[in-house]
Amino acid sequence: MAPVVRQIQKHIANSATDADSSGTYRIAEINKALELAVAAKIDSLQLKAIAGKSETLNWYFTDQSESYTKDFLQFSELKKDTFYIAMAKRDLGRYYATKGKDTLAYGLLNNAKQLLDNRGKEDQEMYILLLQSDIVERSNDYGMVADLNVDVLKLNKKNNNRYYYASANNNLGIADKSMHNYRKAIENFEKAADSTDEPEDRWIIKNNIGLSYTYLGDYAKARPIFESVIQKTTVDATKARAYDNLGFMYYKAGDAKSLEYYKKGYEIRSNNPMLASDRIVSELHLSDYYKNSNPTLAVQYATTAYDRATKMRRIDDRLEALKRLTALSSGVAVKSYSLKFQGLNDSISRVRQSKKNTFAQIKYEYKDTQEENLRRKASEAQKTAQLAKAETQKLGLGILILIGGGAIFFVIRRMQQKSREEKLLESYKTETRIAKKVHDELANDVFNVMTFAEIKDLSDTENKEILLESLDKIYTGSRNISRENSSIDTGTLYPEQLKEVIKGYKSEQVNVMSSGMDQINWDEVDPTKKIVVYRVLQELLVNMKKHSKSSLVVVRFQLDGNRIQIDYSDNGVGIDKNKLAVKNGLRNVETRIESISGSYTFDAVPNKGFKVSFSFPK
């Protein structure tokens, strides 16, 4: 090994030391490594040094990291190095997460993980999943938090890394605790506490275990845990949290000792500027304690908590403070606090739901890509095996053609006669359905518009706006009826037409996604089957719009050998399985699928969404 290479590697190793927690020594060492690598023109070490500097800036000099990491990404792309492209996107994702740009951060991290798939970089993949978990937790999507950390544990089976095992189980515990699954939370926290190598991390986790027992009302188990943490930890944040949790436990138990421990936690937090956000929790707890014995003091603590949370942009703490102020106030103040709470709660709910939908879409598309890659490999193997069979099949096929020719001629003649009868019946059903929809959905609106135009002054701007909105509603309704009953192009434009009908049900209230459609060669699919697919999805989407109250709909297409599978799911109100049989729209779905030799399953549970999976031969 050349001396310069050893020098570069030494400086890179020094940059990762724990000797200087401020980062000054680290950045000096990585700069020396980078300078030597550039002078020596060794691309691999230059990339390694640039990656080290990007990560160091990200951790210790955040404000300088964005520009440098973008240059790192550009250089990695120039060198076409997939690993370092992934590292640059990971660092950018982490940076944007610290700046609150969660959607951008999550997408970059997901792309980074995708680049690392099946490359033997499990540690890096697990780290990215934990970063994504932190982002998703801020949107209170604890179901996805659980999914991401289960993925961490799956990847960790190969490496058995104690840090990632402990982190994932702790996150699973937090998700379970937030969803009120306290016993399951304790189980996951115990796994995390037993596997961590860091004593202070163990006391943080123990705090969570004690809090879970408190919520269960098992104070006898909670108390010694908090007392042990107070005795053993040397970190102010952990000690203050244990005091506050112990106070909360006594408060839940109706014991006046709670004030003593609340105050001890509050004192530690008040004397440490780094614990300002934790101080809000103490103020909220003290407001609860005084709400009956000293309402004026309770209001003071709640007001201080609200002001501090507003300054620090902590939305959930602001909401908690507003809840208390609303309950403690009277007269005009009640209305003021109530309106503030409602406006803030509605706003953050919309933002979080939007983020949840985006995170779900990114994750869904990522998993779909993974599965498509696996299907492609399986398909290639299958084609190789099929080629071997092809020659032997030719002889048998010729014989079958001769035998079956006469029978086919007879069947075709019979089917032609039956088809004419079915077309007449279908035409009558279509006319009846259109007439009913026009009567039910448009007739009343037309009559109302005519009446409005007769009795209102249309020179008035407001009346004119109302009239135009009503006409636009009628136009949209008639267009929808036309679309639902129009002829279907089964030629080359079919995929686009199918995408359009799915997109047509997307709105501000409902996010409709589809994937995998382009993986299917629709030119090879029988035209009759294309029509059935179109009408079935249309029927399901119409049913969703009318009844389900969904905010997210996913339609997924897959090719499994010679069969096409389509999965529809929504997160709406669902339906009792016992009532499925009486739904006319769903009977139509069943009939259509059966007509193309397809199979189907319905999965419907009240308040837990609705799923339909069906498949049929191409």
Side-chain angles (χ1 to χ4, degrees):
M1 184 186 294
V4 69
V5 173
R6 283 197 295 270
Q7 279 185 287
I8 294 168
Q9 290 181 337
K10 179 184 176 182
H11 287 305
I12 291 174
N14 288 344
S15 73
T17 184
D18 291 330
D20 187 339
S21 60
S22 70
T24 304
Y25 176 78
R26 293 170 183 264
I27 202 71
E29 285 296 304
I30 202 66
N31 278 335
K32 290 175 186 176
L34 182 56
E35 186 180 340
L36 289 170
V38 171
K41 297 181 180 179
I42 304 173
D43 282 352
S44 60
L45 289 177
Q46 189 177 344
L47 272 168
K48 189 172 183 179
I50 290 171
K53 183 171 181 178
S54 172
E55 188 170 8
T56 303
L57 289 172
N58 208 278
W59 276 101
Y60 296 97
F61 307 95
T62 307
D63 291 338
Q64 302 174 37
S65 67
E66 181 183 18
S67 176
Y68 189 85
T69 305
K70 285 181 177 178
D71 291 340
F72 171 29
L73 176 59
Q74 189 174 6
F75 186 72
S76 302
E77 289 173 337
L78 180 67
K79 296 299 180 181
K80 298 181 180 178
D81 191 303
T82 303
F83 174 73
Y84 285 111
I85 291 171
M87 292 299 93
K89 290 188 175 184
R90 180 205 66 186
D91 289 350
L92 273 175
R94 187 179 179 279
Y95 168 80
Y96 287 124
T98 64
K99 298 300 179 182
K101 298 181 179 180
D102 289 349
T103 303
L104 177 59
Y106 189 91
L108 283 164
L109 291 169
N110 204 72
N111 193 212
K113 186 182 180 308
Q114 194 169 357
L115 291 170
L116 294 173
D117 275 347
N118 301 314
R119 290 178 175 269
K121 303 292 183 182
E122 287 83 6
D123 280 358
Q124 295 294 347
E125 288 187 80
M126 289 188 286
Y127 178 55
I128 289 169
L129 285 168
L130 291 178
L131 291 174
Q132 288 181 299
S133 175
D134 290 342
I135 292 170
V136 172
E137 187 183 341
R138 290 201 287 268
S139 293
N140 294 348
D141 191 349
Y142 295 107
M144 185 173 282
V145 169
D147 289 344
L148 290 166
N149 284 281
V150 167
D151 288 344
V152 172
L153 293 175
K154 288 178 181 176
L155 284 170
N156 197 44
K157 286 181 178 178
K158 180 178 179 181
N159 293 10
N160 197 24
N161 182 298
R162 290 172 64 83
Y163 169 77
Y164 289 120
Y165 182 82
S167 298
N169 277 296
N170 186 54
N171 288 341
L172 285 169
I174 290 170
D176 285 322
K177 179 166 69 69
S178 300
M179 294 187 288
H180 311 295
N181 299 325
Y182 300 118
R183 296 202 180 279
K184 185 65 176 174
I186 291 167
E187 182 182 327
N188 285 313
F189 285 139
E190 292 284 8
K191 290 178 183 177
D194 290 343
S195 58
T196 185
D197 294 321
E198 298 292 333
E200 287 301 336
D201 288 346
R202 185 174 297 112
W203 309 138
I204 292 172
I205 298 166
K206 288 290 186 180
N207 250 330
N208 286 327
I209 295 172
L211 195 55
S212 297
Y213 277 123
T214 299
Y215 282 121
L216 285 171
D218 195 340
Y219 308 129
K221 287 185 178 177
R223 183 175 56 78
I225 292 174
F226 295 136
E227 290 173 343
S228 173
V229 173
I230 290 167
Q231 182 183 0
K232 293 177 180 177
T233 184
T234 59
V235 176
D236 278 355
T238 307
K239 190 181 291 287
R241 186 173 294 121
Y243 273 126
D244 191 71
N245 286 342
L246 188 55
F248 180 67
M249 184 213 77
Y250 280 119
Y251 176 78
K252 293 275 285 183
D255 192 323
K257 286 182 184 177
S258 59
L259 182 61
E260 174 190 348
Y261 296 105
Y262 275 160
K263 284 186 173 181
K264 286 182 178 180
Y266 188 48
E267 184 181 358
I268 294 171
R269 288 167 170 172
S270 298
N271 291 331
N272 188 334
M274 299 298 292
L275 303 181
S277 60
D278 290 346
R279 190 172 167 184
I280 298 169
V281 178
S282 285
E283 288 160 348
L284 293 172
H285 282 162
L286 286 165
S287 176
D288 289 338
Y289 179 86
Y290 284 114
K291 68 182 177 183
N292 294 321
S293 60
N294 192 341
T296 302
L297 188 55
V299 169
Q300 288 178 12
Y301 276 119
T303 303
T304 304
Y306 176 76
D307 292 341
R308 198 184 311 281
T310 302
K311 184 178 179 180
M312 299 185 72
R313 297 182 179 180
R314 294 179 65 86
I315 302 294
D316 290 314
D317 288 337
R318 284 178 68 191
L319 289 170
E320 288 299 320
L322 284 170
K323 279 184 190 176
R324 287 158 175 81
L325 287 169
T326 302
L328 290 164
S329 302
S330 59
V332 178
V334 173
K335 184 176 181 181
S336 174
Y337 288 130
S338 179
L339 288 173
K340 280 184 181 179
F341 176 86
Q342 191 63 49
L344 185 61
N345 189 54
D346 289 348
S347 175
I348 193 61
S349 294
R350 284 195 297 272
V351 170
R352 284 174 173 168
Q353 186 58 54
S354 175
K355 285 183 179 180
K356 285 179 185 180
N357 290 344
T358 302
F359 297 155
Q361 183 171 1
I362 292 170
K363 184 180 180 185
Y364 179 83
E365 290 172 351
Y366 165 65
K367 286 191 176 294
D368 192 59
T369 301
Q370 279 187 314
E371 291 173 7
E372 180 57 35
N373 289 336
L374 291 172
R375 284 196 297 273
R376 190 179 294 113
K377 290 178 181 178
S379 178
E380 289 171 359
Q382 187 179 26
K383 284 178 182 177
T384 303
Q386 286 174 342
L387 286 172
K389 293 180 180 179
E391 292 301 320
T392 55
Q393 288 176 341
K394 286 179 181 178
L395 180 62
L397 183 61
I399 296 170
L400 285 172
I401 289 172
L402 288 172
I403 295 172
I408 289 171
F409 176 76
F410 173 78
V411 170
I412 288 174
R413 289 293 300 272
R414 180 69 187 94
M415 287 179 66
Q416 285 175 339
Q417 181 180 352
K418 186 176 180 182
S419 177
R420 283 193 295 271
E421 295 170 357
E422 289 176 348
K423 283 179 180 177
L424 285 171
L425 181 59
E426 184 61 30
S427 175
Y428 170 74
K429 286 181 178 179
T430 300
E431 290 172 3
T432 303
R433 185 170 62 250
I434 293 172
K436 186 176 186 303
K437 287 182 75 69
V438 169
H439 177 271
D440 292 347
E441 299 180 16
L442 296 182
N444 287 337
D445 289 342
V446 171
F447 175 77
N448 290 335
V449 168
M450 291 170 62
T451 303
F452 183 87
E454 287 176 3
I455 65 174
K456 295 291 184 180
D457 178 10
L458 296 183
S459 63
D460 180 79
T461 304
E462 185 177 350
N463 288 338
K464 193 181 294 183
E465 287 294 326
I466 294 171
L467 179 64
L468 289 173
E469 287 177 6
S470 299
L471 289 172
D472 184 63
K473 180 183 176 184
I474 292 170
Y475 168 73
T476 302
S478 60
R479 186 183 62 185
N480 289 341
I481 292 173
S482 172
R483 183 181 63 192
E484 289 171 15
N485 296 279
S486 60
S487 59
I488 300 168
D489 186 341
T490 59
T492 54
L493 295 177
Y494 176 79
E496 292 305 316
Q497 195 173 14
L498 187 56
K499 286 178 184 176
E500 281 302 312
V501 76
I502 293 172
K503 279 188 199 172
Y505 291 87
K506 187 173 183 178
S507 66
E508 291 184 2
Q509 292 75 36
V510 186
N511 186 17
V512 182
M513 300 184 294
S514 66
S515 69
M517 191 186 302
D518 294 335
Q519 307 301 324
I520 296 170
N521 185 352
W522 291 99
D523 292 337
E524 296 177 355
V525 180
D526 182 84
T528 304
K529 295 177 181 179
K530 292 182 188 178
I531 293 171
V532 168
V533 169
Y534 186 98
R535 294 300 186 203
V536 165
L537 290 178
Q538 193 176 59
E539 192 85 56
L540 292 171
L541 290 164
V542 168
N543 184 70
M544 175 276 298
K545 188 174 181 181
K546 286 182 178 179
H547 308 296
S548 79
K549 300 179 182 177
S550 303
S551 63
L552 180 64
V553 177
V554 176
V555 182
R556 182 179 178 186
F557 297 79
Q558 298 181 76
L559 187 61
D560 184 8
N562 194 43
R563 292 183 73 85
I564 294 172
Q565 178 166 329
I566 301 173
D567 301 313
Y568 166 95
S569 63
D570 65 48
N571 66 347
V573 297
I575 184 175
D576 190 333
K577 287 186 178 181
N578 296 324
K579 297 179 181 178
L580 281 174
V582 301
K583 289 285 183 181
N584 189 55
L586 298 181
R587 280 206 302 270
N588 290 339
V589 167
E590 294 173 350
T591 303
R592 292 182 191 277
I593 295 171
E594 289 169 354
S595 72
I596 56 172
S597 302
S599 58
Y600 56 84
T601 58
F602 292 104
D603 184 5
V605 179
N607 301 315
K608 291 191 177 179
F610 179 62
K611 297 179 183 179
V612 179
S613 293
F614 65 96
S615 66
F616 57 90
K618 282 201 297 185

